[in-house]
Amino acid sequence: MIYLRSRHGWSIHKLLAPSAVLLILLWVFVGDPAAAAEPQWQSVPMVREAAVSHAQQASPAGAQLQAGRLDERLRLAACPAALMTRTASETPTAMSVEVRCESASTAWKLFVPVSVRVQVPVLVASRGLARGQSVGAGDVDVQMRDRANLGPAWLSSPDDLRSETDGTARVLSRAVAAGSVLSPSQFANARVVRRGQSVTLVSRSGGFEVRAQGKALSDAGTGERVRVENLSSRRVVEGEVRADGSVSVAVL
């Protein structure tokens, strides 16, 4: 019972039981015991933010990044130290970021997928282009496209329309429709050997090298096969064109 003194003397009021008063005092001065005992969990949004921040530093400027969904019910012990990150794997359109906690009391790691969208400059045919046509700056437009929708390779500058070997205009190996993105695979290799041109035939065997003079019977670029007439034996052989213009053959 609790005794209270009023103006008219002492009176007895059954306000609260002593046990209830004790619980109130504990809650005021100590805090909620249940809350104090509850474990502290790592913020899931903070894990996603760490993954995106890492991906941003590893991606081209202007890239649009978005972390994949994580289960909000995920329970990871709160990390007392700064979260660590590293790139676990990467493709042109996505990245897997390892987010981990490294401390004496807590250690865990989580892999967060992050989508990466990047706009890159590409050359687009401004009109239909025919097979065998030399392509110049007037035949193309430069446009920005999402890298995720492109193939493994593309041309990004009018400078790419010229051969790295001799600076001549590159020639299409097949027709290209208007609006198509130009890629290296659509062009024939630079012509290193021309039909009727004198070439050196080279044959290697057992550490020995034999050379002979020949005449190319068709045009060909580096790495391509070409038929050549051996001027000494008058035999026609086939070989592979090398960057220096010679032709490697099995036998002369």
Side-chain angles (χ1 to χ4, degrees):
M1 307 295 280
I2 296 178
Y3 293 81
L4 299 176
R5 183 176 182 179
S6 66
R7 293 182 178 181
H8 306 290
W10 290 95
S11 61
I12 300 175
H13 295 274
K14 189 176 182 180
L15 298 177
L16 293 171
S19 59
V21 175
L22 179 61
L23 288 175
I24 292 174
L25 293 176
L26 284 173
W27 184 84
V28 172
F29 294 102
V30 178
D32 186 355
E38 183 180 346
Q40 298 299 306
W41 304 115
Q42 179 66 47
S43 165
V44 173
M46 187 177 294
V47 173
R48 296 177 77 249
E49 289 174 7
V52 171
S53 177
H54 173 91
Q56 193 167 33
Q57 296 178 16
S59 300
Q64 298 178 7
L65 308 172
Q66 184 174 7
R69 293 180 59 86
L70 297 177
D71 191 343
E72 296 295 333
R73 298 169 297 179
L74 189 65
R75 291 293 181 264
L76 295 171
C79 189
L83 295 177
M84 307 293 290
T85 59
R86 75 173 185 88
T87 302
S89 62
E90 185 177 7
T91 69
T93 58
M95 182 183 300
S96 177
V97 179
E98 178 189 289
V99 181
R100 65 186 184 278
C101 176
E102 294 181 353
S103 72
S105 60
T106 305
W108 51 258
K109 64 180 178 181
L110 185 68
F111 294 92
V112 182
V114 179
S115 65
V116 182
R117 301 191 63 178
V118 181
Q119 296 285 318
V120 295
V122 298
L123 294 187
V124 177
S126 58
R127 56 189 177 84
L129 303 174
R131 179 178 180 272
Q133 178 179 340
S134 297
V135 182
D139 301 315
V140 299
D141 296 322
V142 179
Q143 298 181 4
M144 301 299 292
R145 295 287 180 89
D146 189 339
R147 187 172 63 179
N149 300 325
L150 299 175
W154 58 88
L155 303 187
S156 58
S157 166
D159 294 338
D160 297 334
L161 296 173
R162 294 197 167 274
S163 168
E164 296 180 358
T165 305
D166 55 12
T168 59
R170 302 180 69 176
V171 177
L172 289 170
S173 59
R174 59 178 182 269
V176 175
S180 299
V181 175
L182 298 181
S183 67
S185 63
Q186 296 169 328
F187 291 85
N189 290 339
R191 303 294 88 181
V192 176
V193 171
R194 299 290 182 178
R195 182 177 180 178
Q197 176 183 334
S198 295
V199 296
T200 300
L201 297 172
V202 181
S203 177
R204 293 186 177 88
S205 178
F208 293 94
E209 181 180 276
V210 180
R211 291 174 174 260
Q213 291 301 305
K215 181 175 69 173
L217 300 181
S218 63
D219 297 348
T222 302
E224 294 180 340
R225 306 289 294 181
V226 64
R227 296 174 69 244
V228 180
E229 180 186 1
N230 186 326
L231 297 181
S232 298
S233 64
R234 296 301 175 181
R235 292 177 57 222
V236 175
V237 295
E238 184 177 292
E240 182 178 311
V241 178
R242 302 194 302 186
D244 61 0
S246 63
V247 178
S248 177
V249 297
V251 292
L252 291 174

Coordinates of all heavy atoms in Angstrom, one line a residue, residues 148-227:
A148 N 24.2 -2.2 -72.9 CA 23.5 -3.5 -72.7 C 22.9 -4.0 -74.0 O 22.7 -5.2 -74.1 CB 22.5 -3.4 -71.6
N149 N 22.5 -3.2 -74.9 CA 21.9 -3.6 -76.1 C 22.8 -3.7 -77.3 O 22.3 -4.0 -78.4 CB 20.8 -2.6 -76.5 CG 19.7 -2.5 -75.4 OD1 19.4 -3.4 -74.7 ND2 19.2 -1.3 -75.2
L150 N 24.1 -3.6 -77.0 CA 25.1 -3.7 -78.1 C 25.7 -5.1 -78.1 O 25.6 -5.8 -77.1 CB 26.2 -2.6 -78.0 CG 25.7 -1.2 -78.0 CD1 26.8 -0.2 -77.7 CD2 25.1 -0.9 -79.4
G151 N 26.4 -5.4 -79.2 CA 27.1 -6.7 -79.3 C 28.4 -6.6 -78.6 O 28.7 -5.7 -77.8
P152 N 29.3 -7.6 -78.8 CA 30.6 -7.6 -78.1 C 31.6 -6.5 -78.6 O 32.5 -6.1 -77.9 CB 31.2 -9.0 -78.5 CG 30.5 -9.4 -79.7 CD 29.1 -8.8 -79.6
A153 N 31.3 -5.9 -79.8 CA 32.2 -4.9 -80.3 C 31.4 -3.9 -81.2 O 30.5 -4.3 -81.8 CB 33.4 -5.5 -81.0
W154 N 31.9 -2.7 -81.3 CA 31.2 -1.7 -82.1 C 32.3 -0.6 -82.4 O 33.3 -0.5 -81.8 CB 30.0 -1.1 -81.4 CG 30.3 -0.4 -80.1 CD1 30.7 0.9 -79.9 CD2 30.3 -1.0 -78.8 NE1 31.0 1.1 -78.6 CE2 30.7 -0.1 -77.9 CE3 30.0 -2.3 -78.4 CZ2 30.8 -0.3 -76.5 CZ3 30.2 -2.6 -77.0 CH2 30.5 -1.6 -76.1
L155 N 31.9 0.2 -83.5 CA 32.8 1.4 -83.8 C 32.2 2.6 -83.1 O 31.0 2.8 -83.1 CB 32.8 1.6 -85.3 CG 33.3 0.4 -86.2 CD1 33.4 0.8 -87.7 CD2 34.6 -0.2 -85.7
S156 N 33.1 3.4 -82.5 CA 32.6 4.5 -81.8 C 33.1 5.9 -82.3 O 32.6 6.9 -81.8 CB 33.2 4.4 -80.3 OG 34.6 4.3 -80.3
S157 N 33.9 5.9 -83.3 CA 34.5 7.2 -83.8 C 34.7 7.0 -85.3 O 35.0 6.0 -85.8 CB 35.8 7.5 -83.1 OG 36.4 8.6 -83.8
P158 N 34.5 8.1 -86.1 CA 34.8 8.1 -87.5 C 36.2 7.7 -87.8 O 36.5 7.2 -88.9 CB 34.6 9.6 -87.9 CG 33.5 10.1 -87.0 CD 33.9 9.4 -85.7
D159 N 37.1 7.9 -86.8 CA 38.5 7.4 -87.0 C 38.6 5.9 -87.2 O 39.5 5.4 -87.8 CB 39.4 7.8 -85.9 CG 39.6 9.3 -85.8 OD1 39.4 10.0 -86.8 OD2 39.9 9.8 -84.7
D160 N 37.6 5.2 -86.6 CA 37.6 3.7 -86.7 C 37.3 3.2 -88.1 O 37.4 2.0 -88.4 CB 36.6 3.1 -85.8 CG 36.9 3.4 -84.3 OD1 38.1 3.6 -84.0 OD2 36.0 3.4 -83.5
L161 N 36.8 4.1 -89.0 CA 36.5 3.7 -90.4 C 37.7 3.6 -91.3 O 37.6 3.2 -92.5 CB 35.5 4.8 -91.0 CG 34.2 4.9 -90.3 CD1 33.4 6.1 -90.9 CD2 33.4 3.6 -90.5
R162 N 38.9 3.9 -90.8 CA 40.1 3.8 -91.6 C 41.0 2.7 -91.1 O 41.1 2.4 -89.9 CB 40.9 5.2 -91.5 CG 40.1 6.3 -92.2 CD 41.0 7.4 -92.6 NE 40.3 8.3 -93.5 CZ 40.3 8.2 -94.8 NH1 40.9 7.2 -95.4 NH2 39.6 9.0 -95.6
S163 N 41.7 2.1 -92.0 CA 42.5 1.0 -91.7 C 43.7 1.4 -90.8 O 44.3 2.5 -91.0 CB 43.1 0.3 -92.9 OG 44.1 -0.6 -92.6
E164 N 44.0 0.6 -89.7 CA 45.2 1.0 -88.9 C 46.5 0.7 -89.6 O 47.5 1.2 -89.2 CB 45.1 0.1 -87.6 CG 43.9 0.4 -86.7 CD 43.9 -0.4 -85.5 OE1 44.8 -1.3 -85.3 OE2 42.9 -0.2 -84.7
T165 N 46.4 -0.1 -90.7 CA 47.6 -0.5 -91.4 C 48.1 0.7 -92.3 O 49.3 1.1 -92.3 CB 47.4 -1.7 -92.2 OG1 47.0 -2.8 -91.4 CG2 48.7 -2.2 -92.9
D166 N 47.2 1.1 -93.2 CA 47.6 2.1 -94.2 C 46.7 3.4 -94.2 O 47.0 4.3 -95.0 CB 47.7 1.5 -95.6 CG 46.3 0.9 -96.0 OD1 45.3 1.1 -95.3 OD2 46.3 0.1 -97.0
G167 N 45.7 3.5 -93.3 CA 44.9 4.6 -93.2 C 43.8 4.8 -94.3 O 43.1 5.8 -94.4
T168 N 43.7 3.7 -95.1 CA 42.7 3.8 -96.2 C 41.3 3.5 -95.6 O 41.2 2.9 -94.5 CB 43.0 2.8 -97.3 OG1 43.1 1.4 -96.7 CG2 44.3 3.1 -98.0
A169 N 40.3 3.9 -96.4 CA 38.9 3.7 -95.9 C 38.6 2.2 -95.8 O 39.0 1.4 -96.7 CB 37.9 4.3 -96.8
R170 N 37.9 1.7 -94.8 CA 37.6 0.3 -94.6 C 36.4 0.0 -95.5 O 35.6 0.8 -95.8 CB 37.3 0.0 -93.2 CG 38.4 0.4 -92.2 CD 38.1 0.1 -90.8 NE 38.0 -1.4 -90.6 CZ 37.8 -1.9 -89.3 NH1 37.6 -1.1 -88.3 NH2 37.7 -3.2 -89.2
V171 N 36.4 -1.3 -96.0 CA 35.4 -1.8 -96.9 C 34.5 -2.8 -96.3 O 34.9 -3.7 -95.6 CB 36.1 -2.4 -98.2 CG1 35.1 -3.0 -99.1 CG2 37.0 -1.4 -98.9
L172 N 33.2 -2.6 -96.6 CA 32.2 -3.5 -96.0 C 32.3 -4.9 -96.6 O 32.4 -5.1 -97.8 CB 30.8 -3.0 -96.2 CG 30.4 -1.8 -95.3 CD1 29.1 -1.2 -95.8 CD2 30.4 -2.2 -93.8
S173 N 32.2 -6.0 -95.8 CA 32.2 -7.3 -96.3 C 30.8 -7.8 -96.5 O 30.6 -8.9 -97.1 CB 32.9 -8.3 -95.3 OG 32.2 -8.2 -94.0
R174 N 29.8 -7.0 -96.1 CA 28.4 -7.4 -96.3 C 27.6 -6.1 -96.3 O 28.0 -5.1 -95.7 CB 27.9 -8.4 -95.4 CG 28.0 -8.0 -93.9 CD 27.4 -9.1 -93.0 NE 27.4 -8.8 -91.6 CZ 28.3 -9.1 -90.8 NH1 29.4 -9.7 -91.2 NH2 28.2 -8.8 -89.5
A175 N 26.3 -6.1 -96.8 CA 25.5 -5.0 -96.8 C 25.0 -4.6 -95.4 O 24.9 -5.5 -94.6 CB 24.3 -5.2 -97.7
V176 N 24.8 -3.3 -95.2 CA 24.4 -2.8 -93.9 C 23.1 -2.0 -94.0 O 23.1 -1.1 -94.9 CB 25.5 -2.0 -93.2 CG1 25.0 -1.4 -91.9 CG2 26.7 -2.9 -92.9
A177 N 22.1 -2.2 -93.3 CA 20.8 -1.5 -93.4 C 21.0 -0.1 -92.7 O 21.8 0.0 -91.7 CB 19.7 -2.3 -92.8
A178 N 20.2 0.9 -93.1 CA 20.2 2.2 -92.5 C 19.8 2.0 -91.0 O 18.9 1.3 -90.7 CB 19.2 3.1 -93.2
G179 N 20.5 2.7 -90.1 CA 20.2 2.7 -88.7 C 20.9 1.6 -87.9 O 20.8 1.5 -86.7
S180 N 21.7 0.8 -88.6 CA 22.4 -0.3 -88.0 C 23.7 0.2 -87.3 O 24.3 1.1 -87.9 CB 22.8 -1.4 -89.0 OG 21.6 -2.0 -89.6
V181 N 24.0 -0.3 -86.2 CA 25.2 0.0 -85.5 C 26.4 -0.7 -86.2 O 26.3 -1.9 -86.4 CB 25.2 -0.4 -84.0 CG1 26.5 -0.1 -83.3 CG2 24.1 0.4 -83.3
L182 N 27.4 0.0 -86.5 CA 28.5 -0.6 -87.2 C 29.5 -1.3 -86.3 O 29.8 -0.8 -85.2 CB 29.3 0.5 -88.0 CG 28.5 1.2 -89.1 CD1 29.4 2.2 -89.8 CD2 27.9 0.2 -90.1
S183 N 29.9 -2.5 -86.6 CA 30.8 -3.3 -85.8 C 32.0 -3.7 -86.7 O 31.9 -3.8 -87.9 CB 30.1 -4.5 -85.2 OG 29.8 -5.4 -86.3
P184 N 33.1 -4.1 -86.1 CA 34.3 -4.5 -86.8 C 34.1 -5.7 -87.7 O 34.7 -5.9 -88.8 CB 35.4 -4.8 -85.7 CG 34.9 -4.0 -84.6 CD 33.4 -4.0 -84.6
S185 N 33.2 -6.6 -87.3 CA 32.9 -7.8 -88.0 C 32.2 -7.6 -89.4 O 32.2 -8.5 -90.2 CB 32.0 -8.8 -87.2 OG 30.8 -8.2 -87.0
Q186 N 31.7 -6.4 -89.6 CA 31.0 -6.1 -90.9 C 32.0 -5.6 -91.9 O 31.6 -5.4 -93.1 CB 30.0 -5.0 -90.6 CG 28.8 -5.4 -89.7 CD 28.0 -4.2 -89.3 OE1 28.5 -3.1 -89.1 NE2 26.7 -4.4 -89.1
F187 N 33.3 -5.5 -91.6 CA 34.3 -4.9 -92.5 C 35.3 -6.0 -92.9 O 35.6 -6.9 -92.0 CB 35.0 -3.7 -91.9 CG 34.2 -2.5 -91.8 CD1 33.3 -2.3 -90.6 CD2 34.1 -1.6 -92.8 CE1 32.5 -1.2 -90.5 CE2 33.3 -0.4 -92.6 CZ 32.5 -0.3 -91.5
A188 N 35.7 -6.0 -94.1 CA 36.8 -6.9 -94.5 C 38.1 -6.4 -93.9 O 38.3 -5.2 -93.7 CB 36.9 -6.9 -96.0
N189 N 39.1 -7.3 -93.7 CA 40.4 -6.9 -93.3 C 41.1 -6.0 -94.3 O 40.8 -6.1 -95.5 CB 41.3 -8.2 -93.0 CG 40.8 -9.0 -91.8 OD1 40.1 -8.4 -91.0 ND2 41.1 -10.2 -91.8
A190 N 41.9 -5.2 -93.9 CA 42.7 -4.3 -94.8 C 43.4 -5.1 -95.8 O 44.0 -6.2 -95.5 CB 43.6 -3.4 -94.0
R191 N 43.3 -4.7 -97.1 CA 44.0 -5.5 -98.1 C 45.5 -5.3 -98.0 O 46.0 -4.2 -98.3 CB 43.5 -5.0 -99.5 CG 42.0 -5.1 -99.8 CD 41.5 -6.5 -99.8 NE 41.1 -6.9 -98.5 CZ 40.6 -8.1 -98.2 NH1 40.5 -9.0 -99.2 NH2 40.3 -8.5 -97.0
V192 N 46.2 -6.3 -97.6 CA 47.7 -6.3 -97.5 C 48.3 -6.8 -98.8 O 49.3 -6.3 -99.3 CB 48.1 -7.2 -96.3 CG1 49.7 -7.2 -96.3 CG2 47.6 -6.6 -95.0
V193 N 47.6 -7.7 -99.5 CA 48.0 -8.3 -100.7 C 47.0 -8.1 -101.8 O 45.8 -8.2 -101.6 CB 48.3 -9.8 -100.6 CG1 48.5 -10.5 -101.9 CG2 49.4 -10.1 -99.6
R194 N 47.4 -7.6 -103.0 CA 46.5 -7.4 -104.1 C 46.7 -8.4 -105.2 O 47.9 -8.9 -105.4 CB 46.7 -6.0 -104.7 CG 46.5 -4.8 -103.7 CD 45.0 -4.7 -103.4 NE 44.7 -3.6 -102.5 CZ 43.5 -3.2 -102.1 NH1 42.5 -3.9 -102.5 NH2 43.3 -2.2 -101.3
R195 N 45.7 -8.7 -106.0 CA 45.8 -9.6 -107.1 C 46.9 -9.2 -108.1 O 46.9 -8.0 -108.4 CB 44.5 -9.8 -107.8 CG 44.5 -10.8 -108.9 CD 43.1 -10.9 -109.5 NE 43.1 -11.9 -110.6 CZ 42.0 -12.2 -111.3 NH1 40.9 -11.6 -111.1 NH2 42.1 -13.1 -112.3
G196 N 47.7 -10.1 -108.5 CA 48.8 -9.8 -109.4 C 50.1 -9.3 -108.7 O 51.1 -9.1 -109.4
Q197 N 50.0 -9.0 -107.4 CA 51.2 -8.5 -106.7 C 52.2 -9.6 -106.5 O 51.9 -10.7 -106.2 CB 50.7 -7.9 -105.4 CG 51.8 -7.4 -104.5 CD 51.2 -6.8 -103.2 OE1 50.1 -6.5 -103.1 NE2 52.1 -6.9 -102.1
S198 N 53.5 -9.2 -106.5 CA 54.6 -10.1 -106.2 C 54.7 -10.2 -104.7 O 54.6 -9.2 -103.9 CB 55.9 -9.6 -106.7 OG 55.9 -9.6 -108.1
V199 N 54.7 -11.5 -104.2 CA 54.8 -11.7 -102.7 C 55.9 -12.7 -102.4 O 56.3 -13.5 -103.3 CB 53.4 -12.2 -102.2 CG1 52.3 -11.2 -102.3 CG2 53.1 -13.6 -102.8
T200 N 56.3 -12.8 -101.2 CA 57.3 -13.7 -100.8 C 56.6 -14.9 -100.1 O 55.8 -14.7 -99.2 CB 58.3 -13.1 -99.8 OG1 59.0 -12.0 -100.4 CG2 59.3 -14.1 -99.3
L201 N 56.9 -16.1 -100.6 CA 56.4 -17.3 -100.0 C 57.4 -17.8 -99.0 O 58.6 -17.9 -99.2 CB 56.2 -18.4 -101.1 CG 55.1 -18.1 -102.2 CD1 55.2 -19.1 -103.3 CD2 53.7 -18.0 -101.6
V202 N 56.9 -18.2 -97.8 CA 57.7 -18.6 -96.7 C 57.2 -20.0 -96.2 O 56.1 -20.1 -95.8 CB 57.8 -17.6 -95.5 CG1 58.7 -18.1 -94.4 CG2 58.2 -16.2 -96.0
S203 N 58.1 -20.9 -96.2 CA 57.8 -22.3 -95.6 C 58.8 -22.6 -94.5 O 60.0 -22.5 -94.7 CB 57.9 -23.3 -96.8 OG 57.6 -24.6 -96.2
R204 N 58.3 -23.1 -93.4 CA 59.2 -23.4 -92.3 C 59.0 -24.9 -91.9 O 57.8 -25.4 -91.8 CB 58.9 -22.6 -91.0 CG 59.2 -21.1 -91.2 CD 59.0 -20.3 -89.9 NE 59.4 -18.9 -90.0 CZ 58.6 -18.0 -90.4 NH1 57.4 -18.2 -90.8 NH2 59.1 -16.7 -90.5
S205 N 60.1 -25.6 -91.7 CA 60.0 -27.0 -91.3 C 61.3 -27.4 -90.6 O 62.4 -27.2 -91.1 CB 59.8 -27.9 -92.5 OG 59.7 -29.2 -92.2
G206 N 61.1 -28.0 -89.4 CA 62.3 -28.5 -88.7 C 63.4 -27.5 -88.4 O 64.6 -27.8 -88.4
G207 N 63.0 -26.3 -88.1 CA 63.9 -25.2 -87.8 C 64.5 -24.5 -89.0 O 65.3 -23.6 -88.9
F208 N 64.1 -25.0 -90.2 CA 64.6 -24.4 -91.4 C 63.5 -23.5 -92.1 O 62.4 -23.8 -92.0 CB 65.1 -25.4 -92.4 CG 66.3 -26.2 -92.0 CD1 66.2 -27.4 -91.3 CD2 67.6 -25.7 -92.2 CE1 67.3 -28.1 -90.8 CE2 68.7 -26.4 -91.7 CZ 68.5 -27.6 -91.1
E209 N 64.0 -22.5 -92.8 CA 63.0 -21.6 -93.5 C 63.4 -21.5 -95.0 O 64.6 -21.3 -95.3 CB 63.1 -20.2 -92.9 CG 62.1 -19.3 -93.5 CD 62.1 -17.9 -92.9 OE1 61.4 -17.7 -91.9 OE2 62.9 -17.0 -93.4
V210 N 62.5 -21.7 -95.8 CA 62.7 -21.7 -97.3 C 61.8 -20.6 -97.8 O 60.6 -20.5 -97.5 CB 62.4 -23.0 -98.0 CG1 62.6 -22.9 -99.5 CG2 63.2 -24.1 -97.4
R211 N 62.4 -19.7 -98.7 CA 61.6 -18.6 -99.3 C 61.6 -18.8 -100.8 O 62.6 -19.3 -101.4 CB 62.3 -17.3 -98.9 CG 62.1 -16.9 -97.4 CD 62.8 -15.7 -97.0 NE 62.5 -15.3 -95.7 CZ 61.6 -14.4 -95.3 NH1 61.0 -13.7 -96.3 NH2 61.4 -14.1 -94.1
A212 N 60.6 -18.2 -101.4 CA 60.5 -18.2 -102.9 C 59.6 -17.1 -103.3 O 58.8 -16.6 -102.4 CB 59.9 -19.5 -103.4
Q213 N 59.7 -16.7 -104.5 CA 58.8 -15.6 -105.0 C 57.6 -16.1 -105.7 O 57.6 -17.2 -106.3 CB 59.6 -14.7 -106.0 CG 60.7 -13.9 -105.4 CD 60.2 -13.0 -104.3 OE1 59.3 -12.2 -104.6 NE2 60.8 -13.1 -103.1
G214 N 56.4 -15.4 -105.4 CA 55.2 -15.8 -106.0 C 54.3 -14.7 -106.5 O 54.7 -13.5 -106.3
K215 N 53.2 -15.0 -107.1 CA 52.3 -13.9 -107.6 C 50.9 -14.2 -107.0 O 50.4 -15.3 -107.1 CB 52.2 -13.9 -109.1 CG 51.3 -12.9 -109.6 CD 51.3 -12.8 -111.1 CE 50.7 -14.0 -111.7 NZ 50.5 -13.9 -113.2
A216 N 50.4 -13.2 -106.3 CA 49.0 -13.4 -105.6 C 48.0 -13.5 -106.7 O 48.0 -12.7 -107.7 CB 48.8 -12.2 -104.7
L217 N 47.0 -14.4 -106.5 CA 46.0 -14.6 -107.5 C 44.7 -13.9 -107.0 O 43.6 -14.0 -107.7 CB 45.7 -16.1 -107.7 CG 46.9 -16.9 -108.2 CD1 46.6 -18.3 -108.4 CD2 47.5 -16.3 -109.5
S218 N 44.7 -13.3 -105.8 CA 43.5 -12.5 -105.4 C 43.9 -11.6 -104.3 O 45.0 -11.6 -103.8 CB 42.4 -13.5 -104.8 OG 42.9 -14.2 -103.7
D219 N 43.0 -10.7 -103.9 CA 43.2 -9.8 -102.8 C 43.1 -10.5 -101.5 O 42.3 -11.4 -101.4 CB 42.3 -8.6 -102.8 CG 42.4 -7.7 -104.1 OD1 43.4 -7.9 -104.8 OD2 41.5 -6.9 -104.3
A220 N 43.8 -10.1 -100.4 CA 43.6 -10.7 -99.1 C 44.2 -9.8 -98.0 O 45.1 -9.0 -98.3 CB 44.4 -12.1 -99.1
G221 N 43.7 -9.9 -96.8 CA 44.1 -9.2 -95.7 C 44.9 -10.0 -94.7 O 45.0 -11.3 -94.9
T222 N 45.5 -9.4 -93.7 CA 46.2 -10.2 -92.7 C 45.4 -11.3 -92.1 O 44.3 -11.0 -91.7 CB 46.7 -9.2 -91.6 OG1 47.5 -8.2 -92.2 CG2 47.6 -9.9 -90.6
G223 N 46.0 -12.5 -92.0 CA 45.3 -13.6 -91.4 C 44.3 -14.3 -92.4 O 43.8 -15.4 -92.0
E224 N 44.1 -13.8 -93.6 CA 43.3 -14.5 -94.5 C 44.1 -15.4 -95.4 O 45.3 -15.3 -95.6 CB 42.5 -13.4 -95.4 CG 41.6 -12.6 -94.6 CD 40.8 -11.6 -95.5 OE1 41.3 -11.3 -96.6 OE2 39.8 -11.1 -95.0
R225 N 43.3 -16.4 -96.0 CA 44.0 -17.3 -96.9 C 44.0 -16.7 -98.4 O 43.1 -16.0 -98.8 CB 43.2 -18.6 -96.9 CG 43.0 -19.3 -95.6 CD 44.2 -19.8 -95.0 NE 44.7 -21.0 -95.8 CZ 45.8 -21.7 -95.4 NH1 46.6 -21.3 -94.4 NH2 46.2 -22.7 -96.2
V226 N 45.0 -17.0 -99.1 CA 45.2 -16.5 -100.5 C 45.9 -17.6 -101.3 O 46.8 -18.3 -100.8 CB 45.9 -15.2 -100.5 CG1 47.4 -15.4 -100.0 CG2 45.9 -14.6 -101.9
R227 N 45.5 -17.7 -102.6 CA 46.2 -18.6 -103.5 C 47.3 -17.8 -104.2 O 47.1 -16.7 -104.7 CB 45.2 -19.2 -104.5 CG 44.1 -20.0 -103.9 CD 43.0 -20.5 -104.8 NE 43.5 -21.4 -105.8 CZ 43.6 -21.2 -107.1 NH1 43.2 -20.0 -107.6 NH2 44.1 -22.1 -107.9

